[in-house]
Amino acid sequence: MQIEPIVNFLKDIALFKELTDAELHRLAEAVQERQLEEGELLFEENQRRTSVHIVYDGEIELFKRGPQGEASRLAFFRKFDFLGEGALMDDYPHSTSARALLPATVFSIHRDDFNRLFEEQPAAAGKILSRTARVISRRMRQASTRAVNAAAQYVSGRTRREHDLLGERDVPFEYYYGIQTLRALENFPITGIGLSHFPRLIVALAQVKLACARANRDLGLLSKPLTDAIESACLEIINGRMHTHFVVDMMQGGAGTSTNMNANEVIANRALEFLGYEKGEYEYCHPNNHVNLSQSTNDVYPTALKIALLATNDSIVETLHSLSLSFREKGKEFGHILKMGRTQLQDAVPMTLGQEFESYAVTLAEEMVRLQENAQLFLEVNMGGTAIGTGINTDPRYSETVVKHLAEVTGWKTRLADNLVEATQDTGAFVMYSSATKRLAVKLSKISNDLRLLSSGPRAGFNEINLPPMQPGSSIMPGKVNPVIPEVVNQIAFKVIGNDNTITMAAEAGQLELNVMEPVIVQSLFESLEMLDNGMRTLQHRCIEGITANEEVCRGYVERSIGIVTALNPVLGYEICSSLAKEAFQNNLGIYELVLEKKLLTREQLDDILKPENMIRPQIHNH
């Protein structure tokens, strides 16, 4: 290839942006052109790094082989992208391999040629090294534990220039988000948990944007080509693509504006590609002017949250139903096992172990109804209210139109709030739903407390049931096994209860026409739901399903208990039973043996009274 086309090409490479024409010509002389066939390796893992490689055309895949030789793709590179730039600084071996996905032309610059350039033109080499250091720093920063995915360290180094109210910034070219998302990443490194951690929220955002685009099209506000491009981008996101580009921290200032802009920018940049343009060419599809048309964060954000919570509620109710059924199955399995019931941790009256587990099934089933009832509040939305509920910058027909499309897109029977000003500032639905999650958490924690008590011991506790052993329980006490699953459910409950308090305080902190604390409401709710869902699945599969009963232990407690005297009261009378209870307590005797010793009843009569079927429900007694 002639030198001039190479020089013109190198001008667009981020590493060489600061070079003069003379310096670029000198660099172009060192370029080695390589033609790669499909599947041909550019370099291989563990080979010594020797060159920086710049893609002129075609596609290059970066991959790593696993222990069985399988290849896992990390990233792929196209025209103007470069890789291997670390070779300009050292000769460490490659940690990955690269090959052509399509026939490709690659320009390579060997480290030796670069060193010669350094000797001849140290200023030029210094500029390149400075740019290289910045690229490596950016790649490593993106590869931290807060990176959007494992391949983030392999961004090409190419950037695009974007501007906003505060100025201009370079955005990594691969990323579909833009400058406002970039600023939010820098401003809110709070929890380390980004939007991509909650895919239902991302899907809901795309569903809202899709409904808005269709409404704007119907009203003649958005052209068909733009609508089609935005729709295609939204559908990709709804189908699970592009989620790694939703990177803003769940906890953020600005009442959710960063989340809304993250969605606007990703959708706009993907739509631009559908229209045949490159990311960042916003004059053809703008995040605000087109994707956010007729909208504000103040109606989009809460509506997306409600749609996402409706979907999440379905999942948690399903998990709760499954857990309740597991308790019910254990209730049937343990239905014949007589045991002592307890109140205030003191012996009360006999019951069956089955009744105890059946009660857990019933109390959890009640929470399914509460969750479903409270989730219905999320069907009311404030779309078209825009900034404060007045509907500024919208067509008079927009609200009804967009809510109709939203119902079609989501499958939920969404309805427009009666008063959009009130609906824009009100977070009462989140408070009500959170109260249901707290109630569920309280019940789960109480059940977990019971399981820990009933399984305590095995020699110095209740020992009525055995929880499946999950892991050794001590670093110093051999043979100890702890009830780790109920323990973790207790801790989940504490977090959910705390989150409910956070949500209550955040809802109260609303001022005038907007509650800017919605992000912490959302973060808390989604965290609670995720923990509850995971906790209930863990409790069911790693605890409840494996519980066994110590039938003889349960029976022995009944026979030795003073509490069974209550069951004898209708037969022997209150005075005799009181005397028996006092004597049994003072002499450390069981009521069962004391009744036999005093010949108040025969063993057959006593056993008949203490049959499970006679102990666990009302009976007719003949006096």
Side-chain angles (χ1 to χ4, degrees):
M1 187 179 294
Q2 297 297 315
I3 196 78
E4 286 304 323
I6 296 176
V7 169
N8 291 332
F9 174 74
L10 292 179
K11 288 180 180 178
D12 290 326
I13 306 303
L15 284 180
F16 313 130
K17 286 283 189 182
E18 298 176 9
L19 298 187
T20 65
D21 285 345
E23 290 167 341
L24 284 168
H25 274 81
R26 176 62 186 87
L27 185 66
E29 293 171 359
V31 165
Q32 300 172 15
E33 183 179 341
R34 291 185 59 182
Q35 301 292 332
L36 299 178
E37 298 297 324
E38 182 178 344
E40 186 177 349
L41 287 171
L42 176 61
F43 55 77
E44 193 166 9
E45 188 174 346
N46 297 322
Q47 280 184 348
R48 196 172 65 132
R49 288 191 299 196
T50 61
S51 304
V52 57
H53 307 285
I54 308 151
V55 182
Y56 182 74
D57 61 33
E59 290 185 356
I60 301 294
E61 175 191 40
L62 195 70
F63 67 95
K64 190 171 182 66
R65 294 199 182 278
Q68 306 301 320
E70 71 280 8
S72 298
R73 175 184 289 183
L74 299 174
F76 64 91
F77 299 86
R78 295 173 175 152
K79 188 171 183 176
F80 299 116
D81 293 340
F82 55 87
L83 58 164
E85 70 282 350
L88 300 181
M89 296 182 168
D90 59 58
D91 61 354
Y92 289 160
H94 286 288
S95 60
T96 55
S97 302
R99 63 187 170 198
L101 284 177
L102 302 171
T105 302
V106 176
F107 292 159
S108 299
I109 303 173
H110 198 280
R111 182 174 53 253
D112 293 341
D113 291 320
F114 177 78
N115 289 336
R116 280 192 288 273
L117 175 66
F118 188 83
E119 293 171 0
E120 298 169 9
Q121 301 186 29
K127 294 173 189 175
I128 296 172
L129 284 177
S130 175
R131 300 283 294 193
T132 301
R134 274 181 272 173
V135 168
I136 292 175
S137 174
R138 184 164 63 244
R139 285 179 169 170
M140 293 307 296
R141 183 170 65 250
Q142 295 299 329
S144 70
T145 54
R146 296 186 179 187
V148 294
N149 58 37
Q153 61 182 305
Y154 302 111
V155 294
S156 69
R158 185 182 173 197
T159 60
R160 64 179 187 269
R161 197 75 168 166
E162 291 196 13
H163 70 273
D164 64 4
L165 174 69
L166 301 182
E168 294 187 337
R169 293 293 301 275
D170 286 328
V171 180
F173 188 80
E174 289 87 355
Y175 295 160
Y176 284 84
Y177 61 72
I179 184 171
Q180 293 203 42
T181 303
L182 186 65
R183 293 194 192 280
L185 273 173
E186 296 168 345
N187 290 334
F188 309 123
I190 309 301
T191 67
I193 298 174
L195 299 176
S196 60
H197 190 78
F198 298 103
R200 288 192 182 96
L201 178 54
I202 295 173
V203 168
L205 283 163
Q207 289 174 326
V208 171
K209 295 296 177 181
L210 175 57
C212 293
R214 289 177 175 175
N216 285 319
R217 174 203 60 198
D218 291 354
L219 299 173
L221 303 174
L222 200 61
S223 69
K224 187 177 186 306
L226 271 172
T227 302
D228 290 346
I230 292 172
E231 180 170 323
S232 296
C234 290
L235 289 173
E236 279 195 345
I237 294 167
I238 291 167
N239 291 328
R241 295 194 62 193
M242 316 294 292
H243 285 206
T244 55
H245 297 274
F246 287 77
V247 295
V248 176
D249 198 290
M250 288 290 290
M251 192 86 77
Q252 57 191 257
T257 297
S258 296
T259 294
N260 187 34
M261 285 308 302
N262 195 163
N264 289 335
E265 289 173 343
V266 171
I267 293 168
N269 280 310
R270 185 63 181 127
L272 282 168
E273 292 181 330
F274 283 118
L275 291 167
Y277 302 106
E278 285 201 335
K279 293 186 287 290
E281 295 186 303
Y282 293 142
E283 61 267 32
Y284 304 107
C285 182
H286 195 280
N288 299 83
N289 296 339
H290 301 122
V291 180
N292 199 61
L293 181 63
S294 306
Q295 303 153 57
S296 163
T297 294
N298 302 344
D299 55 4
V300 166
Y301 186 61
T303 298
L305 302 179
K306 291 175 178 179
I307 297 300
L309 286 168
L310 283 164
T312 305
N313 180 69
D314 276 358
S315 174
I316 200 166
V317 167
E318 182 181 341
T319 301
L320 180 54
H321 178 62
S322 182
L323 177 61
S324 177
L325 288 179
S326 287
F327 276 113
R328 184 157 278 124
E329 288 300 313
K330 285 296 169 182
K332 294 176 183 176
E333 180 183 339
F334 300 150
H336 66 287
I337 300 175
L338 193 66
K339 62 157 285 178
M340 281 304 299
R342 299 175 179 88
T343 60
Q344 295 159 283
L345 291 181
Q346 306 298 305
D347 296 351
V349 295
M351 65 186 301
T352 66
L353 189 60
Q355 284 179 309
E356 199 156 35
F357 275 76
E358 175 69 18
S359 73
Y360 300 147
V362 172
T363 197
L364 292 177
E366 289 177 352
E367 298 316 295
M368 294 163 54
V369 179
R370 298 287 85 75
L371 287 166
Q372 294 284 42
E373 286 177 347
N374 286 1
Q376 293 301 302
L377 298 171
F378 295 144
L379 292 173
E380 182 182 279
V381 299
N382 67 327
M383 288 305 298
T386 62
I388 63 171
T390 60
I392 190 172
N393 292 351
T394 64
D395 184 287
R397 301 162 293 172
Y398 173 77
S399 284
E400 294 292 346
T401 306
V402 73
V403 171
K404 180 193 72 171
H405 280 294
L406 187 63
E408 293 171 355
V409 168
T410 64
W412 298 106
K413 295 180 180 179
T414 52
R415 59 181 180 273
L416 190 64
D418 292 334
N419 186 304
L420 296 184
V421 174
E422 183 277 335
T424 301
Q425 60 189 265
D426 177 43
T427 53
F430 300 120
V431 174
M432 286 295 292
Y433 188 77
S434 178
S435 70
T437 66
K438 180 177 76 171
R439 178 171 145 152
L440 170 59
V442 168
K443 289 191 175 184
L444 286 169
S445 192
K446 187 271 179 188
I447 292 169
S448 295
N449 292 339
D450 289 356
L451 295 176
R452 290 164 58 207
L453 278 172
L454 294 174
S455 65
S456 60
R459 300 292 173 81
F462 287 4
N463 194 33
E464 292 184 353
I465 62 173
N466 307 301
L467 306 184
M470 288 294 106
Q471 63 189 57
S474 174
S475 61
I476 190 174
M477 294 173 279
K480 191 168 185 287
V481 178
N482 295 331
V484 294
I485 304 302
E487 287 173 355
V488 79
V489 174
N490 282 132
Q491 293 172 74
I492 288 169
F494 305 155
K495 281 287 289 179
V496 172
I497 293 166
N499 282 345
D500 177 70
N501 191 48
T502 298
I503 290 164
T504 302
M505 295 300 295
E508 183 275 336
Q511 296 168 320
L512 303 177
E513 279 66 59
L514 183 67
N515 189 320
V516 301
M517 308 301 176
E518 280 183 352
V520 75
I521 292 176
V522 176
Q523 189 274 336
S524 299
L525 258 181
F526 277 108
E527 181 184 56
S528 291
L529 291 171
E530 182 179 46
M531 288 191 299
L532 284 170
D533 204 340
N534 292 337
M536 288 191 294
R537 292 176 193 273
T538 300
L539 181 63
Q540 177 184 346
H541 298 304
R542 302 190 69 79
C543 184
I544 307 307
E545 291 175 348
I547 290 175
T548 57
N550 295 322
E551 187 170 349
E552 293 304 316
V553 173
C554 291
R555 180 76 187 189
Y557 284 146
V558 172
E559 292 181 353
R560 293 193 302 274
S561 172
I562 296 173
I564 64 169
V565 74
T566 304
L568 304 178
N569 197 40
V571 179
L572 300 178
Y574 185 84
E575 294 297 334
I576 292 176
C577 288
S578 294
S579 176
L580 285 171
K582 182 177 181 180
E583 184 177 349
F585 180 75
Q586 289 175 341
N587 298 319
N588 194 27
L589 298 172
I591 294 293
Y592 188 94
E593 59 182 301
L594 196 57
V595 169
L596 294 179
E597 181 184 311
K598 292 180 177 294
K599 297 182 180 179
L600 297 172
L601 293 169
T602 66
R603 183 179 296 274
E604 290 73 21
Q605 290 173 316
L606 186 56
D607 285 343
D608 184 64
I609 293 171
L610 297 181
K611 283 180 181 179
E613 59 269 26
N614 293 334
M615 297 284 287
I616 62 176
R617 61 180 64 91
Q619 299 289 325
I620 296 175
H621 296 281
N622 294 316
H623 294 279

